[in-house]
Amino acid sequence: MRTKQPIPVPGRNVLHGSLENLAKATVLQMPSLERRLFRRPLGKGAKDTDKWQRESKYMQTQPLYQDYWVKRLKAAERKPKELSFRVDASLSIAGLLSSSLLDAASQGSPRDYSFCFWQEIPEVKSQRLLEGLTPQQHHLQEALFEVITSEASYLRSLSVATSHFKGSLVLQETLTRAEVHRLFSNLQQVRDVSERFLLELEEQMDKDVFLAGLGTVALKHCPAFHRVYVPYVTNQMYQAQLMQQLMRENWRFRQVLRKLEEQPVCQRQPLKSFLVLPFQRITRLKILLENILKLALVGSELAGSISAALRAVGEIVSECNENVRRMKQTEELVLLEKQVEFVKTKSIPLISRGRWLVRAGNFSQILIQEVGVGSRPRLSTKPIHLHLFSDLLLLSRRRDDGRFSVKDYAQTSHVRAEPLKAEPLGLPNTAFLLCLSCNHRGATAEFLLKADSTAQRQEWISLITSQVPPQPVGLTRTRRDAHNGVSTH
């Protein structure tokens, strides 16, 4: 005889039979293509009847991740009386959806995505658990449950990306093996990690409907997050470049991709929107954990575990951002090196570990010609281009074809930029002196330059000064006095 389940409390086992039954019914009603995308083989030891198993009991109750936040907001708007908490639109969107994605989501066919909120779970409703919670405790439960529903939505999108797009043999035939790897990177591993995380979250939900152990589960999976997210996000810049190139040059790829994107399983979402999801998700997970920590009781075990998970996820996000920044800097150097020529100077490699481009700008070099005793010097100008790197300064002439012919260069530790008293010298008020104490020949060189504005002059003086260690005031004054005004070069 089946006994009645007691009212759940934190830490007590809670079964989700009704949820599982609904999810199974949902799967059976799905189109065969979509059903195949959300199954997975168990392995060689599995029974024939269990050869295929659904990935998650919650995944089929959630929309694609591109639509998730819009659907959640709409669900909150539909049930204002039932929900005693307010969904913060600025937090839920969190910069994850562009206006185009929002438009696409609003055009999709309406579906009933159950269990958007913790208070809608059958066990919570049948046991009237909400009645024993304060408004803040209710907010906390909804924030905890949102980690599960959003992860389920995210996994659903990743499954479409890996099975429908990456798994398409027709699409693969339009690409080289290197292009396939560059376009999809380690997306399959990202999906597998998401699946394992979600399944353990669901196990935690089965044990404790209050999800007191969510922080511990999240922290446990952080090493796996780091292993897959950092390389994927680092590759995203090259992924985007390849996507643009393929859309521009590979008509066969364009044609096949368009047909794949038109399939119902994509719900009008393009491949690009699937490829950008991992970085959006790891960033969003950080925001979710921050929200939970704000609601958790200070000093509680939950607050401690969430805080630890938040630090770990935050470190992953920071490393992703740093790697993206470095990759962009390296790519900038690669492109610039193709445009720079060392014709009259010794050639040096621009791509160097720890080097990045700080600023580039156009200036006029002022040339002073003596015309005779008692006569005012004649001034003339010619264009000059400066590339300031973290450890190097290049002075070049920009040619008509857009390439740069290097005239001189020096390590930033041997570069000084000094303002001048322009009027007594008959110079423009935007002039300044650029001094190379050890240029490419190991000699001293000075350039009198004119900026387009006083703001540009001050900006460059500040930038150059910030790239070099400070020198004793006496040394700077002695060297300024040594050239006795303005020298020419």
Side-chain angles (χ1 to χ4, degrees), residues 71-269:
K71 297 289 184 182
R72 184 175 174 84
L73 288 172
K74 288 184 177 180
E77 292 171 358
R78 286 197 303 267
K79 302 180 179 181
K81 294 182 180 180
E82 293 183 29
L83 299 176
S84 60
F85 67 97
R86 179 177 59 86
V87 178
D88 187 344
S90 63
L91 178 63
S92 295
I93 299 298
L96 300 186
L97 296 173
S98 65
S99 59
S100 60
L101 291 180
L102 287 169
D103 291 341
S106 64
Q107 295 171 3
S109 57
R111 294 189 181 185
D112 181 18
Y113 295 109
S114 303
F115 312 120
C116 286
F117 304 105
W118 182 82
Q119 70 171 33
E120 296 175 333
I121 297 174
E123 284 75 11
V124 175
K125 295 171 69 175
S126 64
Q127 302 294 342
R128 298 182 177 179
L129 299 182
L130 198 59
E131 296 177 3
L133 300 180
T134 65
Q136 181 169 338
Q137 289 173 332
H138 181 201
H139 295 172
L140 174 60
Q141 292 309 132
E142 297 296 350
L144 288 164
F145 189 59
E146 187 178 359
V147 176
I148 293 181
T149 56
S150 61
E151 190 70 30
S153 173
Y154 172 58
L155 179 58
R156 183 183 180 116
S157 288
L158 290 182
S159 297
V160 173
T162 54
S163 298
H164 184 62
F165 290 106
K166 185 177 183 294
S168 170
L169 297 179
V170 180
L171 187 67
Q172 290 185 23
E173 289 175 355
T174 69
L175 305 169
T176 65
R177 183 174 298 181
E179 287 173 336
V180 171
H181 176 73
R182 189 174 167 189
L183 186 61
F184 293 101
S185 189
N186 61 328
L187 190 61
Q188 182 64 51
Q189 286 72 37
V190 174
R191 182 212 165 279
D192 294 343
V193 165
S194 173
E195 178 186 42
R196 288 191 289 271
F197 179 46
L198 178 59
L199 290 177
E200 189 158 354
L201 287 175
E202 292 184 8
E203 290 176 8
Q204 180 65 30
M205 187 78 182
D206 289 341
K207 295 175 183 177
D208 176 17
V209 74
F210 291 98
L211 289 166
L214 186 143
T216 302
V217 174
L219 182 61
K220 173 185 174 182
H221 286 263
C222 280
F225 293 158
H226 183 278
R227 187 176 65 252
V228 298
Y229 280 106
V230 172
Y232 185 88
V233 174
T234 302
N235 180 66
Q236 273 196 300
M237 182 179 68
Y238 298 109
Q239 182 187 70
Q241 291 175 352
L242 176 61
M243 189 70 177
Q244 292 176 359
Q245 179 184 346
L246 292 172
M247 295 300 290
R248 185 175 59 250
E249 302 174 2
N250 190 332
W251 68 270
R252 178 59 179 160
F253 171 82
R254 247 184 358 255
Q255 185 181 49
V256 173
L257 181 62
R258 185 172 62 251
K259 291 182 179 179
L260 288 173
E261 291 175 342
E262 290 173 353
Q263 294 296 317
V265 71
C266 297
Q267 297 181 24
R268 300 186 181 184
Q269 299 293 348

